[in-house]
Amino acid sequence: RGLREVGDTVVFSGFQRADLNTTFLVDVSLHIGGRSTYWDAGRNYFMYYQASERRWAISFHDPAAWAASGGAGDDPLSD
């Protein structure tokens, strides 16, 4: 997979899932694992640091489902 950092953005290419081949923009107001998160333009996917694993991950985020669950569940934003 291709990864390119440009200032406060990360650009991915080479994923089989075309929707992940996009630009992620930093959100300095939301931290997970002690680091800023990065979001796609639609805020449907975000990249976050898994401190316990010492790696970055990309996760789908459904704001309506997350809100309906009261912020609980498997979404990393629930931590």
Side-chain angles (χ1 to χ4, degrees), residues 22-78:
T22 191
T23 300
F24 287 77
L25 306 170
V26 69
D27 181 345
V28 297
S29 70
L30 180 58
H31 293 86
I32 298 177
R35 300 194 184 183
S36 297
T37 54
Y38 292 78
W39 293 77
D40 73 328
R43 293 189 73 85
N44 296 310
Y45 291 94
F46 65 101
M47 187 172 74
Y48 67 100
Y49 188 67
Q50 295 177 330
S52 62
E53 302 294 326
R54 290 186 267 173
R55 67 180 181 193
W56 288 89
I58 297 175
S59 181
F60 177 72
H61 177 63
D62 180 345
W66 187 72
S69 74
D74 295 333
D75 192 315
L77 295 179
S78 300

Side-chain angles (χ1 to χ4, degrees), residues 6 12 19 27 63 71 77:
V6 182
F12 283 102
D19 50 348
D27 181 345
L77 295 179

